[in-house]
PDB file of all heavy atoms in Angstrom:
ATOM      1  N   ASP A   1      70.096 -42.596 251.119  1.00  0.00           N
ATOM      2  CA  ASP A   1      70.028 -44.049 250.947  1.00  0.00           C
ATOM      3  C   ASP A   1      70.262 -44.439 249.487  1.00  0.00           C
ATOM      4  O   ASP A   1      70.975 -45.404 249.200  1.00  0.00           O
ATOM      5  CB  ASP A   1      68.665 -44.579 251.415  1.00  0.00           C
ATOM      6  CG  ASP A   1      68.472 -44.448 252.913  1.00  0.00           C
ATOM      7  OD1 ASP A   1      69.485 -44.480 253.650  1.00  0.00           O
ATOM      8  OD2 ASP A   1      67.323 -44.302 253.356  1.00  0.00           O
ATOM      9  N   ALA A   2      69.667 -43.682 248.577  1.00  0.00           N
ATOM     10  CA  ALA A   2      69.865 -43.954 247.148  1.00  0.00           C
ATOM     11  C   ALA A   2      71.325 -43.742 246.748  1.00  0.00           C
ATOM     12  O   ALA A   2      71.884 -44.511 245.947  1.00  0.00           O
ATOM     13  CB  ALA A   2      68.953 -43.054 246.308  1.00  0.00           C
ATOM     14  N   ALA A   3      71.952 -42.709 247.309  1.00  0.00           N
ATOM     15  CA  ALA A   3      73.366 -42.457 247.006  1.00  0.00           C
ATOM     16  C   ALA A   3      74.235 -43.611 247.494  1.00  0.00           C
ATOM     17  O   ALA A   3      75.152 -44.058 246.794  1.00  0.00           O
ATOM     18  CB  ALA A   3      73.808 -41.153 247.660  1.00  0.00           C
ATOM     19  N   ALA A   4      73.958 -44.101 248.709  1.00  0.00           N
ATOM     20  CA  ALA A   4      74.730 -45.210 249.260  1.00  0.00           C
ATOM     21  C   ALA A   4      74.552 -46.474 248.427  1.00  0.00           C
ATOM     22  O   ALA A   4      75.520 -47.208 248.169  1.00  0.00           O
ATOM     23  CB  ALA A   4      74.312 -45.460 250.708  1.00  0.00           C
ATOM     24  N   GLN A   5      73.326 -46.733 247.974  1.00  0.00           N
ATOM     25  CA  GLN A   5      73.069 -47.921 247.158  1.00  0.00           C
ATOM     26  C   GLN A   5      73.771 -47.828 245.805  1.00  0.00           C
ATOM     27  O   GLN A   5      74.253 -48.821 245.270  1.00  0.00           O
ATOM     28  CB  GLN A   5      71.558 -48.100 246.965  1.00  0.00           C
ATOM     29  CG  GLN A   5      70.826 -48.549 248.215  1.00  0.00           C
ATOM     30  CD  GLN A   5      71.335 -49.885 248.731  1.00  0.00           C
ATOM     31  OE1 GLN A   5      71.474 -50.858 247.984  1.00  0.00           O
ATOM     32  NE2 GLN A   5      71.624 -49.939 250.026  1.00  0.00           N
ATOM     33  N   ARG A   6      73.818 -46.627 245.243  1.00  0.00           N
ATOM     34  CA  ARG A   6      74.499 -46.450 243.963  1.00  0.00           C
ATOM     35  C   ARG A   6      75.999 -46.709 244.102  1.00  0.00           C
ATOM     36  O   ARG A   6      76.618 -47.380 243.269  1.00  0.00           O
ATOM     37  CB  ARG A   6      74.259 -45.030 243.439  1.00  0.00           C
ATOM     38  CG  ARG A   6      74.861 -44.747 242.073  1.00  0.00           C
ATOM     39  CD  ARG A   6      74.253 -45.618 240.994  1.00  0.00           C
ATOM     40  NE  ARG A   6      74.620 -45.138 239.663  1.00  0.00           N
ATOM     41  CZ  ARG A   6      74.344 -45.800 238.533  1.00  0.00           C
ATOM     42  NH1 ARG A   6      73.705 -46.959 238.584  1.00  0.00           N
ATOM     43  NH2 ARG A   6      74.693 -45.309 237.357  1.00  0.00           N
ATOM     44  N   LEU A   7      76.598 -46.172 245.164  1.00  0.00           N
ATOM     45  CA  LEU A   7      78.017 -46.401 245.390  1.00  0.00           C
ATOM     46  C   LEU A   7      78.283 -47.881 245.649  1.00  0.00           C
ATOM     47  O   LEU A   7      79.268 -48.436 245.146  1.00  0.00           O
ATOM     48  CB  LEU A   7      78.519 -45.563 246.570  1.00  0.00           C
ATOM     49  CG  LEU A   7      79.996 -45.745 246.926  1.00  0.00           C
ATOM     50  CD1 LEU A   7      80.897 -45.429 245.736  1.00  0.00           C
ATOM     51  CD2 LEU A   7      80.373 -44.881 248.123  1.00  0.00           C
ATOM     52  N   PHE A   8      77.417 -48.530 246.411  1.00  0.00           N
ATOM     53  CA  PHE A   8      77.567 -49.961 246.676  1.00  0.00           C
ATOM     54  C   PHE A   8      77.524 -50.756 245.364  1.00  0.00           C
ATOM     55  O   PHE A   8      78.310 -51.691 245.152  1.00  0.00           O
ATOM     56  CB  PHE A   8      76.466 -50.435 247.621  1.00  0.00           C
ATOM     57  CG  PHE A   8      76.522 -51.894 247.960  1.00  0.00           C
ATOM     58  CD1 PHE A   8      77.711 -52.492 248.343  1.00  0.00           C
ATOM     59  CD2 PHE A   8      75.377 -52.679 247.907  1.00  0.00           C
ATOM     60  CE1 PHE A   8      77.779 -53.843 248.673  1.00  0.00           C
ATOM     61  CE2 PHE A   8      75.421 -54.024 248.232  1.00  0.00           C
ATOM     62  CZ  PHE A   8      76.625 -54.616 248.607  1.00  0.00           C
ATOM     63  N   TYR A   9      76.618 -50.370 244.454  1.00  0.00           N
ATOM     64  CA  TYR A   9      76.516 -51.031 243.155  1.00  0.00           C
ATOM     65  C   TYR A   9      77.824 -50.893 242.375  1.00  0.00           C
ATOM     66  O   TYR A   9      78.329 -51.872 241.805  1.00  0.00           O
ATOM     67  CB  TYR A   9      75.354 -50.426 242.370  1.00  0.00           C
ATOM     68  CG  TYR A   9      75.261 -50.864 240.933  1.00  0.00           C
ATOM     69  CD1 TYR A   9      74.851 -52.156 240.610  1.00  0.00           C
ATOM     70  CD2 TYR A   9      75.582 -49.987 239.896  1.00  0.00           C
ATOM     71  CE1 TYR A   9      74.769 -52.565 239.281  1.00  0.00           C
ATOM     72  CE2 TYR A   9      75.499 -50.380 238.572  1.00  0.00           C
ATOM     73  CZ  TYR A   9      75.089 -51.671 238.274  1.00  0.00           C
ATOM     74  OH  TYR A   9      75.011 -52.073 236.959  1.00  0.00           O
ATOM     75  N   PHE A  10      78.390 -49.685 242.358  1.00  0.00           N
ATOM     76  CA  PHE A  10      79.662 -49.471 241.665  1.00  0.00           C
ATOM     77  C   PHE A  10      80.782 -50.280 242.310  1.00  0.00           C
ATOM     78  O   PHE A  10      81.627 -50.865 241.617  1.00  0.00           O
ATOM     79  CB  PHE A  10      80.027 -47.987 241.690  1.00  0.00           C
ATOM     80  CG  PHE A  10      79.307 -47.151 240.669  1.00  0.00           C
ATOM     81  CD1 PHE A  10      79.192 -45.777 240.836  1.00  0.00           C
ATOM     82  CD2 PHE A  10      78.751 -47.724 239.536  1.00  0.00           C
ATOM     83  CE1 PHE A  10      78.546 -44.991 239.894  1.00  0.00           C
ATOM     84  CE2 PHE A  10      78.088 -46.949 238.584  1.00  0.00           C
ATOM     85  CZ  PHE A  10      77.995 -45.586 238.763  1.00  0.00           C
ATOM     86  N   MET A  11      80.816 -50.308 243.645  1.00  0.00           N
ATOM     87  CA  MET A  11      81.868 -51.046 244.347  1.00  0.00           C
ATOM     88  C   MET A  11      81.727 -52.549 244.135  1.00  0.00           C
ATOM     89  O   MET A  11      82.733 -53.266 244.063  1.00  0.00           O
ATOM     90  CB  MET A  11      81.855 -50.681 245.833  1.00  0.00           C
ATOM     91  CG  MET A  11      82.291 -49.240 246.099  1.00  0.00           C
ATOM     92  SD  MET A  11      82.216 -48.743 247.837  1.00  0.00           S
ATOM     93  CE  MET A  11      83.511 -49.758 248.565  1.00  0.00           C
ATOM     94  N   GLN A  12      80.497 -53.028 244.034  1.00  0.00           N
ATOM     95  CA  GLN A  12      80.289 -54.439 243.703  1.00  0.00           C
ATOM     96  C   GLN A  12      80.860 -54.765 242.322  1.00  0.00           C
ATOM     97  O   GLN A  12      81.528 -55.790 242.135  1.00  0.00           O
ATOM     98  CB  GLN A  12      78.794 -54.776 243.726  1.00  0.00           C
ATOM     99  CG  GLN A  12      78.192 -54.957 245.111  1.00  0.00           C
ATOM    100  CD  GLN A  12      76.719 -55.295 245.024  1.00  0.00           C
ATOM    101  OE1 GLN A  12      75.945 -54.606 244.354  1.00  0.00           O
ATOM    102  NE2 GLN A  12      76.311 -56.349 245.695  1.00  0.00           N
ATOM    103  N   GLN A  13      80.574 -53.897 241.343  1.00  0.00           N
ATOM    104  CA  GLN A  13      81.094 -54.098 239.989  1.00  0.00           C
ATOM    105  C   GLN A  13      82.623 -54.131 239.987  1.00  0.00           C
ATOM    106  O   GLN A  13      83.245 -55.031 239.399  1.00  0.00           O
ATOM    107  CB  GLN A  13      80.606 -52.979 239.068  1.00  0.00           C
ATOM    108  CG  GLN A  13      79.161 -53.089 238.651  1.00  0.00           C
ATOM    109  CD  GLN A  13      78.817 -52.084 237.561  1.00  0.00           C
ATOM    110  OE1 GLN A  13      79.442 -51.030 237.441  1.00  0.00           O
ATOM    111  NE2 GLN A  13      77.833 -52.413 236.741  1.00  0.00           N
ATOM    112  N   ALA A  14      83.224 -53.137 240.652  1.00  0.00           N
ATOM    113  CA  ALA A  14      84.685 -53.063 240.698  1.00  0.00           C
ATOM    114  C   ALA A  14      85.266 -54.264 241.434  1.00  0.00           C
ATOM    115  O   ALA A  14      86.302 -54.810 241.036  1.00  0.00           O
ATOM    116  CB  ALA A  14      85.114 -51.765 241.385  1.00  0.00           C
ATOM    117  N   GLY A  15      84.594 -54.688 242.501  1.00  0.00           N
ATOM    118  CA  GLY A  15      85.057 -55.842 243.259  1.00  0.00           C
ATOM    119  C   GLY A  15      85.047 -57.119 242.429  1.00  0.00           C
ATOM    120  O   GLY A  15      85.969 -57.947 242.527  1.00  0.00           O
ATOM    121  N   ARG A  16      84.014 -57.282 241.595  1.00  0.00           N
ATOM    122  CA  ARG A  16      83.940 -58.471 240.738  1.00  0.00           C
ATOM    123  C   ARG A  16      85.044 -58.451 239.680  1.00  0.00           C
ATOM    124  O   ARG A  16      85.660 -59.487 239.384  1.00  0.00           O
ATOM    125  CB  ARG A  16      82.564 -58.553 240.075  1.00  0.00           C
ATOM    126  CG  ARG A  16      81.471 -59.079 241.000  1.00  0.00           C
ATOM    127  CD  ARG A  16      80.227 -59.461 240.224  1.00  0.00           C
ATOM    128  NE  ARG A  16      79.566 -58.289 239.653  1.00  0.00           N
ATOM    129  CZ  ARG A  16      78.595 -57.621 240.240  1.00  0.00           C
ATOM    130  NH1 ARG A  16      78.169 -58.001 241.443  1.00  0.00           N
ATOM    131  NH2 ARG A  16      78.029 -56.589 239.655  1.00  0.00           N
ATOM    132  N   LEU A  17      85.283 -57.266 239.109  1.00  0.00           N
ATOM    133  CA  LEU A  17      86.364 -57.153 238.118  1.00  0.00           C
ATOM    134  C   LEU A  17      87.714 -57.484 238.744  1.00  0.00           C
ATOM    135  O   LEU A  17      88.558 -58.151 238.131  1.00  0.00           O
ATOM    136  CB  LEU A  17      86.394 -55.734 237.535  1.00  0.00           C
ATOM    137  CG  LEU A  17      85.215 -55.340 236.635  1.00  0.00           C
ATOM    138  CD1 LEU A  17      85.286 -53.855 236.293  1.00  0.00           C
ATOM    139  CD2 LEU A  17      85.214 -56.178 235.355  1.00  0.00           C
ATOM    140  N   GLU A  18      87.910 -57.025 239.961  1.00  0.00           N
ATOM    141  CA  GLU A  18      89.147 -57.297 240.682  1.00  0.00           C
ATOM    142  C   GLU A  18      89.296 -58.792 240.949  1.00  0.00           C
ATOM    143  O   GLU A  18      90.379 -59.373 240.749  1.00  0.00           O
ATOM    144  CB  GLU A  18      89.129 -56.511 241.996  1.00  0.00           C
ATOM    145  CG  GLU A  18      90.452 -56.439 242.717  1.00  0.00           C
ATOM    146  CD  GLU A  18      90.374 -55.531 243.939  1.00  0.00           C
ATOM    147  OE1 GLU A  18      89.907 -56.000 244.999  1.00  0.00           O
ATOM    148  OE2 GLU A  18      90.762 -54.367 243.838  1.00  0.00           O
ATOM    149  N   LYS A  19      88.212 -59.421 241.360  1.00  0.00           N
ATOM    150  CA  LYS A  19      88.244 -60.858 241.676  1.00  0.00           C
ATOM    151  C   LYS A  19      88.452 -61.700 240.421  1.00  0.00           C
ATOM    152  O   LYS A  19      89.225 -62.672 240.416  1.00  0.00           O
ATOM    153  CB  LYS A  19      86.944 -61.257 242.365  1.00  0.00           C
ATOM    154  CG  LYS A  19      86.897 -62.702 242.815  1.00  0.00           C
ATOM    155  CD  LYS A  19      85.591 -63.003 243.547  1.00  0.00           C
ATOM    156  CE  LYS A  19      85.542 -64.459 243.994  1.00  0.00           C
ATOM    157  NZ  LYS A  19      84.271 -64.765 244.701  1.00  0.00           N
ATOM    158  N   ASN A  20      87.770 -61.326 239.322  1.00  0.00           N
ATOM    159  CA  ASN A  20      87.870 -62.102 238.082  1.00  0.00           C
ATOM    160  C   ASN A  20      89.257 -62.033 237.457  1.00  0.00           C
ATOM    161  O   ASN A  20      89.637 -62.907 236.661  1.00  0.00           O
ATOM    162  CB  ASN A  20      86.834 -61.613 237.070  1.00  0.00           C
ATOM    163  CG  ASN A  20      85.412 -61.930 237.506  1.00  0.00           C
ATOM    164  OD1 ASN A  20      85.192 -62.800 238.346  1.00  0.00           O
ATOM    165  ND2 ASN A  20      84.436 -61.206 236.958  1.00  0.00           N
ATOM    166  N   ALA A  21      90.022 -60.992 237.790  1.00  0.00           N
ATOM    167  CA  ALA A  21      91.374 -60.854 237.244  1.00  0.00           C
ATOM    168  C   ALA A  21      92.351 -61.830 237.878  1.00  0.00           C
ATOM    169  O   ALA A  21      93.462 -62.047 237.354  1.00  0.00           O
ATOM    170  CB  ALA A  21      91.872 -59.421 237.413  1.00  0.00           C
ATOM    171  N   GLY A  22      91.965 -62.427 239.000  1.00  0.00           N
ATOM    172  CA  GLY A  22      92.805 -63.414 239.654  1.00  0.00           C
ATOM    173  C   GLY A  22      94.004 -62.808 240.383  1.00  0.00           C
ATOM    174  O   GLY A  22      94.090 -61.594 240.582  1.00  0.00           O
ATOM    175  N   VAL A  23      94.948 -63.670 240.775  1.00  0.00           N
ATOM    176  CA  VAL A  23      96.134 -63.233 241.510  1.00  0.00           C
ATOM    177  C   VAL A  23      97.392 -63.731 240.812  1.00  0.00           C
ATOM    178  O   VAL A  23      97.351 -64.661 240.010  1.00  0.00           O
ATOM    179  CB  VAL A  23      96.099 -63.753 242.961  1.00  0.00           C
ATOM    180  CG1 VAL A  23      94.917 -63.171 243.725  1.00  0.00           C
ATOM    181  CG2 VAL A  23      96.053 -65.282 242.985  1.00  0.00           C
ATOM    182  N   ASP A  24      98.527 -63.092 241.149  1.00  0.00           N
ATOM    183  CA  ASP A  24      99.783 -63.518 240.556  1.00  0.00           C
ATOM    184  C   ASP A  24     100.403 -64.647 241.387  1.00  0.00           C
ATOM    185  O   ASP A  24      99.779 -65.148 242.333  1.00  0.00           O
ATOM    186  CB  ASP A  24     100.745 -62.329 240.420  1.00  0.00           C
ATOM    187  CG  ASP A  24     101.081 -61.693 241.769  1.00  0.00           C
ATOM    188  OD1 ASP A  24     100.875 -62.358 242.824  1.00  0.00           O
ATOM    189  OD2 ASP A  24     101.571 -60.545 241.781  1.00  0.00           O
ATOM    190  N   VAL A  25     101.616 -65.020 241.064  1.00  0.00           N
ATOM    191  CA  VAL A  25     102.272 -66.142 241.739  1.00  0.00           C
ATOM    192  C   VAL A  25     102.532 -65.856 243.212  1.00  0.00           C
ATOM    193  O   VAL A  25     102.733 -66.767 244.018  1.00  0.00           O
ATOM    194  CB  VAL A  25     103.614 -66.492 241.036  1.00  0.00           C
ATOM    195  CG1 VAL A  25     103.337 -67.040 239.646  1.00  0.00           C
ATOM    196  CG2 VAL A  25     104.531 -65.274 240.971  1.00  0.00           C
ATOM    197  N   HIS A  26     102.532 -64.585 243.581  1.00  0.00           N
ATOM    198  CA  HIS A  26     102.753 -64.204 244.973  1.00  0.00           C
ATOM    199  C   HIS A  26     101.441 -64.007 245.743  1.00  0.00           C
ATOM    200  O   HIS A  26     101.455 -63.605 246.904  1.00  0.00           O
ATOM    201  CB  HIS A  26     103.569 -62.906 245.037  1.00  0.00           C
ATOM    202  CG  HIS A  26     104.902 -63.001 244.343  1.00  0.00           C
ATOM    203  ND1 HIS A  26     105.936 -63.775 244.812  1.00  0.00           N
ATOM    204  CD2 HIS A  26     105.347 -62.424 243.184  1.00  0.00           C
ATOM    205  CE1 HIS A  26     106.969 -63.668 244.003  1.00  0.00           C
ATOM    206  NE2 HIS A  26     106.640 -62.858 243.001  1.00  0.00           N
ATOM    207  N   GLY A  27     100.324 -64.279 245.071  1.00  0.00           N
ATOM    208  CA  GLY A  27      99.026 -64.158 245.727  1.00  0.00           C
ATOM    209  C   GLY A  27      98.470 -62.748 245.742  1.00  0.00           C
ATOM    210  O   GLY A  27      97.454 -62.490 246.383  1.00  0.00           O
ATOM    211  N   LYS A  28      99.112 -61.841 245.006  1.00  0.00           N
ATOM    212  CA  LYS A  28      98.620 -60.467 244.949  1.00  0.00           C
ATOM    213  C   LYS A  28      97.680 -60.311 243.763  1.00  0.00           C
ATOM    214  O   LYS A  28      97.871 -60.924 242.713  1.00  0.00           O
ATOM    215  CB  LYS A  28      99.794 -59.491 244.802  1.00  0.00           C
ATOM    216  CG  LYS A  28     100.712 -59.464 246.018  1.00  0.00           C
ATOM    217  CD  LYS A  28     101.830 -58.435 245.836  1.00  0.00           C
ATOM    218  CE  LYS A  28     102.732 -58.393 247.064  1.00  0.00           C
ATOM    219  NZ  LYS A  28     103.819 -57.391 246.897  1.00  0.00           N
ATOM    220  N   PRO A  29      96.639 -59.473 243.913  1.00  0.00           N
ATOM    221  CA  PRO A  29      95.666 -59.292 242.822  1.00  0.00           C
ATOM    222  C   PRO A  29      96.338 -58.772 241.548  1.00  0.00           C
ATOM    223  O   PRO A  29      97.207 -57.896 241.602  1.00  0.00           O
ATOM    224  CB  PRO A  29      94.691 -58.247 243.372  1.00  0.00           C
ATOM    225  CG  PRO A  29      94.853 -58.308 244.860  1.00  0.00           C
ATOM    226  CD  PRO A  29      96.290 -58.672 245.101  1.00  0.00           C
ATOM    227  N   ASN A  30      95.949 -59.348 240.406  1.00  0.00           N
ATOM    228  CA  ASN A  30      96.447 -58.854 239.127  1.00  0.00           C
ATOM    229  C   ASN A  30      95.862 -57.491 238.781  1.00  0.00           C
ATOM    230  O   ASN A  30      96.450 -56.727 238.011  1.00  0.00           O
ATOM    231  CB  ASN A  30      96.105 -59.855 238.017  1.00  0.00           C
ATOM    232  CG  ASN A  30      96.927 -61.120 238.128  1.00  0.00           C
ATOM    233  OD1 ASN A  30      98.130 -61.075 238.436  1.00  0.00           O
ATOM    234  ND2 ASN A  30      96.303 -62.272 237.894  1.00  0.00           N
ATOM    235  N   ARG A  31      94.697 -57.219 239.323  1.00  0.00           N
ATOM    236  CA  ARG A  31      94.047 -55.934 239.088  1.00  0.00           C
ATOM    237  C   ARG A  31      93.485 -55.436 240.422  1.00  0.00           C
ATOM    238  O   ARG A  31      92.718 -56.153 241.066  1.00  0.00           O
ATOM    239  CB  ARG A  31      92.923 -56.076 238.068  1.00  0.00           C
ATOM    240  CG  ARG A  31      92.321 -54.755 237.606  1.00  0.00           C
ATOM    241  CD  ARG A  31      91.207 -55.000 236.595  1.00  0.00           C
ATOM    242  NE  ARG A  31      90.707 -53.746 236.020  1.00  0.00           N
ATOM    243  CZ  ARG A  31      89.653 -53.660 235.201  1.00  0.00           C
ATOM    244  NH1 ARG A  31      89.002 -54.773 234.861  1.00  0.00           N
ATOM    245  NH2 ARG A  31      89.263 -52.489 234.736  1.00  0.00           N
ATOM    246  N   ARG A  32      93.863 -54.271 240.820  1.00  0.00           N
ATOM    247  CA  ARG A  32      93.400 -53.732 242.105  1.00  0.00           C
ATOM    248  C   ARG A  32      92.706 -52.389 241.885  1.00  0.00           C
ATOM    249  O   ARG A  32      93.233 -51.511 241.210  1.00  0.00           O
ATOM    250  CB  ARG A  32      94.568 -53.567 243.069  1.00  0.00           C
ATOM    251  CG  ARG A  32      94.211 -52.849 244.362  1.00  0.00           C
ATOM    252  CD  ARG A  32      95.316 -52.931 245.369  1.00  0.00           C
ATOM    253  NE  ARG A  32      95.425 -54.270 245.932  1.00  0.00           N
ATOM    254  CZ  ARG A  32      96.317 -54.613 246.863  1.00  0.00           C
ATOM    255  NH1 ARG A  32      97.188 -53.717 247.301  1.00  0.00           N
ATOM    256  NH2 ARG A  32      96.351 -55.830 247.329  1.00  0.00           N
ATOM    257  N   PHE A  33      91.521 -52.261 242.476  1.00  0.00           N
ATOM    258  CA  PHE A  33      90.777 -51.005 242.389  1.00  0.00           C
ATOM    259  C   PHE A  33      91.010 -50.164 243.635  1.00  0.00           C
ATOM    260  O   PHE A  33      91.245 -50.685 244.729  1.00  0.00           O
ATOM    261  CB  PHE A  33      89.271 -51.283 242.241  1.00  0.00           C
ATOM    262  CG  PHE A  33      88.832 -51.465 240.820  1.00  0.00           C
ATOM    263  CD1 PHE A  33      88.996 -52.694 240.188  1.00  0.00           C
ATOM    264  CD2 PHE A  33      88.271 -50.412 240.111  1.00  0.00           C
ATOM    265  CE1 PHE A  33      88.594 -52.873 238.871  1.00  0.00           C
ATOM    266  CE2 PHE A  33      87.877 -50.582 238.797  1.00  0.00           C
ATOM    267  CZ  PHE A  33      88.029 -51.807 238.176  1.00  0.00           C
ATOM    268  N   TYR A  34      90.921 -48.860 243.423  1.00  0.00           N
ATOM    269  CA  TYR A  34      91.068 -47.892 244.515  1.00  0.00           C
ATOM    270  C   TYR A  34      89.856 -46.961 244.505  1.00  0.00           C
ATOM    271  O   TYR A  34      89.189 -46.793 243.478  1.00  0.00           O
ATOM    272  CB  TYR A  34      92.342 -47.064 244.337  1.00  0.00           C
ATOM    273  CG  TYR A  34      93.604 -47.879 244.316  1.00  0.00           C
ATOM    274  CD1 TYR A  34      94.088 -48.404 243.113  1.00  0.00           C
ATOM    275  CD2 TYR A  34      94.312 -48.139 245.488  1.00  0.00           C
ATOM    276  CE1 TYR A  34      95.247 -49.163 243.081  1.00  0.00           C
ATOM    277  CE2 TYR A  34      95.471 -48.891 245.466  1.00  0.00           C
ATOM    278  CZ  TYR A  34      95.936 -49.409 244.262  1.00  0.00           C
ATOM    279  OH  TYR A  34      97.084 -50.169 244.235  1.00  0.00           O
ATOM    280  N   LEU A  35      89.598 -46.389 245.656  1.00  0.00           N
ATOM    281  CA  LEU A  35      88.541 -45.380 245.726  1.00  0.00           C
ATOM    282  C   LEU A  35      89.135 -44.067 246.213  1.00  0.00           C
ATOM    283  O   LEU A  35      90.090 -44.045 246.993  1.00  0.00           O
ATOM    284  CB  LEU A  35      87.391 -45.835 246.625  1.00  0.00           C
ATOM    285  CG  LEU A  35      87.639 -46.280 248.061  1.00  0.00           C
ATOM    286  CD1 LEU A  35      87.752 -45.095 249.006  1.00  0.00           C
ATOM    287  CD2 LEU A  35      86.526 -47.198 248.519  1.00  0.00           C
ATOM    288  N   GLU A  36      88.566 -42.988 245.717  1.00  0.00           N
ATOM    289  CA  GLU A  36      89.009 -41.651 246.090  1.00  0.00           C
ATOM    290  C   GLU A  36      87.837 -40.864 246.648  1.00  0.00           C
ATOM    291  O   GLU A  36      86.759 -40.840 246.053  1.00  0.00           O
ATOM    292  CB  GLU A  36      89.594 -40.927 244.873  1.00  0.00           C
ATOM    293  CG  GLU A  36      90.086 -39.520 245.191  1.00  0.00           C
ATOM    294  CD  GLU A  36      90.856 -38.911 244.032  1.00  0.00           C
ATOM    295  OE1 GLU A  36      90.431 -39.095 242.867  1.00  0.00           O
ATOM    296  OE2 GLU A  36      91.893 -38.265 244.284  1.00  0.00           O
ATOM    297  N   LYS A  37      88.056 -40.243 247.787  1.00  0.00           N
ATOM    298  CA  LYS A  37      87.034 -39.394 248.415  1.00  0.00           C
ATOM    299  C   LYS A  37      87.475 -37.941 248.283  1.00  0.00           C
ATOM    300  O   LYS A  37      88.608 -37.591 248.634  1.00  0.00           O
ATOM    301  CB  LYS A  37      86.896 -39.763 249.895  1.00  0.00           C
ATOM    302  CG  LYS A  37      85.969 -38.861 250.708  1.00  0.00           C
ATOM    303  CD  LYS A  37      84.526 -39.172 250.431  1.00  0.00           C
ATOM    304  CE  LYS A  37      83.603 -38.366 251.345  1.00  0.00           C
ATOM    305  NZ  LYS A  37      83.742 -38.740 252.772  1.00  0.00           N
ATOM    306  N   LEU A  38      86.578 -37.104 247.766  1.00  0.00           N
ATOM    307  CA  LEU A  38      86.836 -35.668 247.642  1.00  0.00           C
ATOM    308  C   LEU A  38      85.803 -34.910 248.463  1.00  0.00           C
ATOM    309  O   LEU A  38      84.597 -35.166 248.335  1.00  0.00           O
ATOM    310  CB  LEU A  38      86.768 -35.219 246.176  1.00  0.00           C
ATOM    311  CG  LEU A  38      87.724 -35.912 245.200  1.00  0.00           C
ATOM    312  CD1 LEU A  38      87.501 -35.374 243.788  1.00  0.00           C
ATOM    313  CD2 LEU A  38      89.171 -35.714 245.627  1.00  0.00           C
ATOM    314  N   ASP A  39      86.259 -34.005 249.283  1.00  0.00           N
ATOM    315  CA  ASP A  39      85.375 -33.224 250.149  1.00  0.00           C
ATOM    316  C   ASP A  39      85.732 -31.745 250.020  1.00  0.00           C
ATOM    317  O   ASP A  39      86.904 -31.376 250.107  1.00  0.00           O
ATOM    318  CB  ASP A  39      85.518 -33.684 251.600  1.00  0.00           C
ATOM    319  CG  ASP A  39      84.639 -32.894 252.561  1.00  0.00           C
ATOM    320  OD1 ASP A  39      83.488 -33.320 252.758  1.00  0.00           O
ATOM    321  OD2 ASP A  39      85.098 -31.870 253.089  1.00  0.00           O
ATOM    322  N   THR A  40      84.718 -30.910 249.819  1.00  0.00           N
ATOM    323  CA  THR A  40      84.952 -29.468 249.673  1.00  0.00           C
ATOM    324  C   THR A  40      85.097 -28.820 251.041  1.00  0.00           C
ATOM    325  O   THR A  40      84.299 -29.071 251.946  1.00  0.00           O
ATOM    326  CB  THR A  40      83.797 -28.804 248.906  1.00  0.00           C
ATOM    327  OG1 THR A  40      83.611 -29.488 247.666  1.00  0.00           O
ATOM    328  CG2 THR A  40      84.102 -27.337 248.639  1.00  0.00           C
ATOM    329  N   SER A  41      86.094 -27.993 251.193  1.00  0.00           N
ATOM    330  CA  SER A  41      86.365 -27.338 252.470  1.00  0.00           C
ATOM    331  C   SER A  41      85.268 -26.333 252.813  1.00  0.00           C
ATOM    332  O   SER A  41      85.019 -25.393 252.059  1.00  0.00           O
ATOM    333  CB  SER A  41      87.730 -26.635 252.399  1.00  0.00           C
ATOM    334  OG  SER A  41      88.042 -26.017 253.614  1.00  0.00           O
TER     335      SER A  41
END
């Protein structure tokens, strides 16, 4: 639960940065965040 809350906190931060950057003339975000999942085999 703590791990999920920590990731949610980071995603909230990234989401706000993405939103505050606004969009271009075509309506696409000026700044877009991505997430990467790594899993050990």
Side-chain angles (χ1 to χ4, degrees):
D1 292 331
Q5 288 300 311
R6 183 63 168 172
L7 179 58
F8 180 47
Y9 171 72
F10 280 159
M11 292 177 68
Q12 282 180 309
Q13 285 190 334
R16 282 194 292 267
L17 291 172
E18 193 175 82
K19 184 178 180 180
N20 292 340
V23 297
D24 61 19
V25 293
H26 302 291
K28 294 182 179 180
N30 289 320
R31 189 180 186 186
R32 173 170 287 181
F33 273 82
Y34 300 89
L35 54 82
E36 180 171 41
K37 174 77 174 294
L38 302 179
D39 179 89
T40 306
S41 181

